[in-house]
């Protein structure tokens, strides 16, 4: 069972469509995992220009123990942890930032559904570009 979570400013039709247009959403399978993923204070789905290097903040609230939280950069795992507790916060600075990248979050819980599938969550990306 998969779901999409929409981070709307208000619970109205207009608010939901505005959030979808700005890609402020994430996907979960099986469990209702809550994700908060920001880079330099900017939300998932945004395209940003920054003067400094990316400072990534993650807050995950799971429904079971979290097996892995992975920060993905340009399709490869940049950083991952295995907190093995229901809730976890991470702060990570990408010192390898080369001027243009996209980042997203992947979360895996230890629980499984009746078919043996684990619970996952994936954020929308944040596209980051160095401000000239």
């Amino acid at each position: 069972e998969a779901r999409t979570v929409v981070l709307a400013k208000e619970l109205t039709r207009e608010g939901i469509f505005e959030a979808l247009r700005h890609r402020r959403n994430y996907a979960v399978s099986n469990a209702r995992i809550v994700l908060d993923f920001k880079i330099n204070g900017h939300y998932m789905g945004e395209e940003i220009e920054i003067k400094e290097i990316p400072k990534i903040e993650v807050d995950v609230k799971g429904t079971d123990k979290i097996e892995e939280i992975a920060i993905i950069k340009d399709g490869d795992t940049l950083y991952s942890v295995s907190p093995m507790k229901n809730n976890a916060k991470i702060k990570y600075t990408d010192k390898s930032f080369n001027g243009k990248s996209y980042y997203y979050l992947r979360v895996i819980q230890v629980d499984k559904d009746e078919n043996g599938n684990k619970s996952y969550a994936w954020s929308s990306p944040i596209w980051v570009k160095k401000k000239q």
Side-chain angles (χ1 to χ4, degrees):
E1 184 175 323
R3 295 177 181 89
T4 297
V5 178
V6 178
L7 304 173
K9 293 178 183 174
E10 56 185 38
L11 191 55
T12 62
R13 181 182 183 97
E14 294 79 20
I16 292 168
F17 279 106
E18 188 267 341
L20 287 170
R21 274 192 298 280
H22 290 94
R23 301 178 297 245
R24 287 192 312 269
N25 60 305
Y26 64 92
V28 295
S29 68
N30 302 323
R32 293 178 183 224
I33 301 167
V34 176
L35 295 184
D36 187 8
F37 169 54
K38 295 178 188 157
I39 297 179
N40 295 38
H42 295 272
Y43 291 95
M44 61 183 93
E46 290 191 52
E47 296 179 39
I48 63 172
E49 286 191 35
I50 58 174
K51 290 183 179 179
E52 62 281 346
I53 59 177
K55 294 179 182 91
I56 301 164
E57 292 184 49
V58 175
D59 187 1
V60 179
K61 292 175 178 55
T63 59
D64 202 336
K65 290 180 182 165
I66 300 165
E67 182 177 307
E68 181 187 42
I69 299 172
I71 299 168
I72 311 298
K73 174 185 176 185
D74 299 329
D76 295 316
T77 301
L78 172 65
Y79 178 77
S80 70
V81 294
S82 182
M84 297 310 286
K85 54 186 181 178
N86 288 29
N87 302 322
K89 291 184 180 189
I90 300 170
K91 289 187 178 188
Y92 182 83
T93 301
D94 181 10
K95 295 177 182 168
S96 68
F97 181 62
N98 60 5
K100 187 176 182 183
S101 290
Y102 69 90
Y103 301 82
Y104 68 92
L105 198 66
R106 180 187 67 224
V107 176
I108 305 171
Q109 284 191 166
V110 298
D111 63 320
K112 295 180 182 177
D113 67 9
E114 61 278 354
N115 297 319
N117 300 312
K118 291 188 178 186
S119 296
Y120 288 85
W122 303 266
S123 74
S124 289
I126 300 174
W127 292 266
V128 183
K129 189 173 165 184
K130 184 87 170 165
K131 190 178 273 189
Q132 301 296 334

